[in-house]
Amino acid sequence: NGPDETTTTQATTTADDPVTTTMAATTTAATTTPEFDEGDLDNELEEPDMIDATDITLFSMGVYMRMAHPQGGALAPIHSIPFCLNGDPAECTKTPEQLEFGEFTFSTNDLNMSENGSGFDVWILNGLGGGIAGPYTFYADL
């Protein structure tokens, strides 16, 4: 059978055979052609700005609720502090080597503990917001 052909199968019985019944089946084959929506081809996509995930001047320290990972940059931290002043590498007063060591100081008031609880994880984040070191877990007193 080719496309668009119909096949009919039929079985009949005689009155002498009361157990057998009459049945008929019809099968129809059809060919369809899928349609594609190519969208608006005049609307070109803008390329996103590329961020160097290894540029330490773009790194930051991020504080998350306990057990909430940065998820590759998809989850924003509750609180973050950039490695460089104002998060702008052009204003960075330290060399990349000097940024490899240091400490951060922040207040637990920045963490909104009434909403986020008292357990937190600290992560070092790359320029894309992905976790590259951590977590360091701490608990604050309410």
Side-chain angles (χ1 to χ4, degrees), residues 49-59 126-128:
D49 292 333
M50 297 305 294
I51 296 175
D52 183 359
T54 62
D55 183 354
I56 196 167
T57 62
L58 299 174
F59 286 14
N126 66 17
L128 299 172

Side-chain angles (χ1 to χ4, degrees), residues 56-69:
I56 196 167
T57 62
L58 299 174
F59 286 14
S60 63
M61 181 274 315
V63 180
Y64 292 83
M65 289 176 59
R66 178 81 181 102
M67 301 299 290
H69 299 277

Side-chain angles (χ1 to χ4, degrees), residues 9-15 17 20-24:
T9 305
Q10 188 171 8
T12 57
T13 60
T14 62
D17 187 4
T20 306
T21 59
T22 301
M23 43 182 237

